[in-house]
Amino acid sequence: MFGNGDEPPSNRSANAHIQDVVDAGRRKVLAGGAALGALAFLGGLPAMAGTAEPASVGAGLPFQRRSRLPFGAVSVTRADTVTVPAGYTAKAFIAWGTPICGSYPAYLEDASNSAHDQAQQTGMHHDGMHFFPIDAKFKGRKSDHGMLALNHEYIDAPLLHRNGPTVVNGKRVDADEVRKEINAHGVSIVEIRRNVRGDWAVLPSARNRRITGATPMRIEGPARGHDLMKTRYSPSGTSARGTLNNCANGHTPWGTYLTCEENWAGYFSSRDAELPRHLQRYGVRSTSRYGWETVQGDEFQRFDATQTAEDARADYRNEPNTFGWIVEIDPFDPDATPVKHTALGRFAHEGLVFAPVKPGWPVVCYSGDDSQNEYIYKYVSRDKYRPQRSDGSLLDEGTLYVARFNPDGSGNWLALDIDDAGFQQACATAGVDFVDQGDVMVNTRIAADVVGATKMDRPEWGAVHPDTGEVYFTLTNNSARQDADAANPRAPNLYGHIIRWREAGRNHAGTRFNWDLYLLAGPEGDSRDPRGKPLNDENILASPDGLWFDAEGRLWIQTDMSGSQLSSGPFGNNQMLVSDPRTGETKRFLVGPQGAEVTGITATPDFRTLFVNIQHPGEGSSATEYTSTWPDGPGRRPRSATVIISRDDGGRVL
Ligand code: FEO
Ligand code: CA
Ligand code: CA
């Protein structure tokens, strides 16, 4: 049924789909461009037929009928455990507080470990992660020994401390408590090995490392040394302390780990009556999430961005400008200083995903800004990729683009480059000035506003198909959307969707693309699977977030529902599904424990081990009342943890 390069034959059902959505009560939503978006979703794409690359999205491989998901779908459930299909086992691994380095301080059940202990134990709230084979630097693919690098996104203070956080008159009073919170953020890097029985263990390795919210880092790229980066800690604007709210992740073609600073603005406060644009546009407010700045001492007062001195080099007005970046970490060198790459833009970075690299071509990577009505970005390096010779400097000189999704299924990458004539024109029209490229990068969101990027429904993870190069992104939900558009066709968008695109001419470094919608999440009556059918018992989901392609081109989708969607919706606990773009088949593979988000996924090259993270089980627990007791069992404090998934027969996971 599918010819070479043809779209899946779903256009005949296009009208029906639109009608269904109209029938569901969103006639308004589908007016104008949004209707075209729905067409694009079905792959009929009459609008795309006239472009230079007719009907190219989703057409990269011959369509197949053979199922590549040979497992029984897991049912929706609210069980307080990790549920996987029959024939598979899931085991918790390196839960929060696991000793991994230094003096390997044991995890204390009553959460009485000190800040110093925490800096030698895995952090809280595991998020994105990547498995580096131990011989990765030499292009090796060893599957039973490697470095696992993982993010710790944020903390639940009631669970982090023995009796929850100590607050007196609205202020934090216990410095060690706050220091423990800072140390529970960041990244863990652990050397791990699989024995002949298939069991994994952490090795007592000198390479194991904790990177925290206080670890010294170097600033590179256009904002290095910029006036907006100068602080009392770094009057030269070339270094910074720590990485925070580390979400999703990335890994480079040269074997390093990337951690991404997402919702960092809430860690700061400013009491200034009027905030500069680089704080205002990013949501810095007069109070912070955890109140760290209320403790005496430079290590805490840096979270207060109020202007208190004559000169930026004598206070911390610019400290928030040292966050919102992609941070590169060498997982094999525990002494290497992490690098904040400012050419990749400053926003609520969810992750960073690379297009397949080609020697002699620029490196291209994509990143979403996960906030309501924010944007999707792409970076193209100036210099060319050279195997075995390229390094992180490729991420310091290049062009950052932002996406515009047109209603006809085409798209444009708009340069945020002070030397670009189009950008200069847009700035002049908008009456917005930037003094240099460092200023553009510190104010990435404003630059993207100026060029007319498309406001998206909270871009979360991206994933690039290993064979076709098509880029998929989750748009998790957007309760604030008031006007639907083609690429974000529901207003409000309660359930989220997955968008995908193909670069024109398959040139990832180019400036045009074609897009469609892969999946609309939601209950049976308000959803569409990749084949244009409603989702069903095997695959209803909401709030897609984590996204990853295995080496064979199956798309793994993780969810992050919260609030009433999680507690009383038809979706059960958060889950992970697998979807095959070749067939459109989509099945639930895993359901997480109570209150948890399922996020973070990586595998060994032999695909006999799949690593998945379970974040914030028992969310909403107090220091004494737990809404989940995963993974340790009844009466025990819930802990975020990695889950190791394997097949009982020892074979490939899929
Ligand atoms: Fe940290 Fe957007 O998820
Ligand atoms: Ca996420
Ligand atoms: Ca999320």
Side-chain angles (χ1 to χ4, degrees), residues 127 153 245 247 262-263 350 370 458 460 545 560 597:
D127 205 286
E153 186 177 20
N245 211 267
C247 202
E262 191 193 15
N263 295 314
E350 177 78 14
D370 180 10
R458 294 189 50 206
E460 296 254 23
D545 186 337
D560 178 17
E597 157 186 1

Short mmCIF file of all heavy atoms in Angstrom, two decimals, residues 127 153 245 247 262-263 350 370 458 460 545 560 597, ligand 1:
data_model
loop_
_atom_site.label_atom_id
_atom_site.label_comp_id
_atom_site.label_asym_id
_atom_site.label_seq_id
_atom_site.Cartn_x
_atom_site.Cartn_y
_atom_site.Cartn_z
N ASP A 127 15.96 12.07 36.67
CA ASP A 127 15.29 12.45 35.41
C ASP A 127 16.04 11.82 34.24
O ASP A 127 16.30 10.61 34.25
CB ASP A 127 15.16 13.98 35.32
CG ASP A 127 14.02 14.40 34.41
OD1 ASP A 127 14.16 14.28 33.18
OD2 ASP A 127 12.97 14.84 34.91
N GLU A 153 16.37 16.27 39.14
CA GLU A 153 15.71 17.49 38.71
C GLU A 153 15.43 18.48 39.84
O GLU A 153 15.73 19.64 39.74
CB GLU A 153 14.42 17.16 37.98
CG GLU A 153 13.76 18.41 37.39
CD GLU A 153 12.52 18.13 36.58
OE1 GLU A 153 11.93 17.06 36.78
OE2 GLU A 153 12.14 18.98 35.77
N ASN A 245 17.81 22.10 38.56
CA ASN A 245 16.60 21.68 37.86
C ASN A 245 16.95 20.96 36.56
O ASN A 245 16.52 21.33 35.47
CB ASN A 245 15.66 22.87 37.62
CG ASN A 245 14.22 22.42 37.64
OD1 ASN A 245 13.64 22.11 36.61
ND2 ASN A 245 13.64 22.33 38.83
N CYS A 247 16.82 18.59 33.86
CA CYS A 247 15.73 17.83 33.27
C CYS A 247 16.21 17.16 31.99
O CYS A 247 17.20 17.56 31.41
CB CYS A 247 14.57 18.76 32.99
SG CYS A 247 13.03 17.86 32.86
N GLU A 262 16.26 23.43 33.47
CA GLU A 262 14.89 23.70 33.04
C GLU A 262 14.23 24.81 33.88
O GLU A 262 14.36 25.98 33.57
CB GLU A 262 14.04 22.42 33.07
CG GLU A 262 12.69 22.61 32.39
CD GLU A 262 11.71 21.49 32.65
OE1 GLU A 262 11.94 20.70 33.57
OE2 GLU A 262 10.67 21.42 31.95
N ASN A 263 13.57 24.44 34.97
CA ASN A 263 12.81 25.46 35.71
C ASN A 263 13.66 26.08 36.82
O ASN A 263 13.37 25.94 38.00
CB ASN A 263 11.53 24.83 36.27
CG ASN A 263 10.62 24.39 35.15
OD1 ASN A 263 10.38 25.14 34.20
ND2 ASN A 263 10.13 23.16 35.21
N GLU A 350 14.63 21.70 28.24
CA GLU A 350 14.20 20.36 28.64
C GLU A 350 15.29 19.34 28.33
O GLU A 350 15.64 18.53 29.16
CB GLU A 350 12.90 20.00 27.91
CG GLU A 350 12.40 18.60 28.19
CD GLU A 350 11.72 18.48 29.53
OE1 GLU A 350 11.40 19.51 30.13
OE2 GLU A 350 11.51 17.33 29.98
N ASP A 370 10.52 24.21 27.82
CA ASP A 370 9.30 23.69 28.42
C ASP A 370 8.64 24.69 29.35
O ASP A 370 8.86 24.68 30.56
CB ASP A 370 9.55 22.38 29.17
CG ASP A 370 8.24 21.88 29.79
OD1 ASP A 370 7.17 22.43 29.46
OD2 ASP A 370 8.29 20.95 30.61
N ARG A 458 4.16 23.61 25.49
CA ARG A 458 5.17 23.11 26.42
C ARG A 458 6.04 22.00 25.79
O ARG A 458 5.86 20.81 26.08
CB ARG A 458 4.54 22.61 27.72
CG ARG A 458 3.89 23.71 28.55
CD ARG A 458 3.48 23.20 29.93
NE ARG A 458 4.59 22.52 30.56
CZ ARG A 458 4.46 21.56 31.48
NH1 ARG A 458 3.26 21.20 31.88
NH2 ARG A 458 5.51 20.99 32.00
N GLU A 460 8.59 19.33 25.44
CA GLU A 460 9.40 18.54 26.39
C GLU A 460 10.51 17.85 25.58
O GLU A 460 11.26 18.52 24.92
CB GLU A 460 8.50 17.55 27.14
CG GLU A 460 7.46 18.26 28.03
CD GLU A 460 7.78 18.20 29.50
OE1 GLU A 460 8.95 18.03 29.87
OE2 GLU A 460 6.85 18.34 30.32
N ASP A 545 5.88 13.19 27.76
CA ASP A 545 7.02 14.00 28.21
C ASP A 545 8.31 13.36 27.69
O ASP A 545 8.84 13.76 26.66
CB ASP A 545 6.96 14.10 29.74
CG ASP A 545 8.00 15.02 30.33
OD1 ASP A 545 9.02 15.26 29.68
OD2 ASP A 545 7.81 15.50 31.47
N ASP A 560 3.99 12.35 32.10
CA ASP A 560 4.14 13.14 33.33
C ASP A 560 2.82 13.86 33.60
O ASP A 560 2.73 15.07 33.47
CB ASP A 560 5.29 14.13 33.17
CG ASP A 560 5.46 15.01 34.40
OD1 ASP A 560 4.92 14.66 35.47
OD2 ASP A 560 6.13 16.06 34.29
N GLU A 597 6.33 10.23 38.30
CA GLU A 597 6.47 10.50 36.88
C GLU A 597 7.44 9.46 36.33
O GLU A 597 8.38 9.07 37.02
CB GLU A 597 7.01 11.93 36.74
CG GLU A 597 7.72 12.24 35.46
CD GLU A 597 8.36 13.65 35.48
OE1 GLU A 597 8.24 14.37 36.51
OE2 GLU A 597 8.96 14.02 34.47
FE1 FEO B 1 11.31 18.72 33.83
FE2 FEO B 1 9.67 19.67 31.39
O1 FEO B 1 10.07 18.41 32.55
#
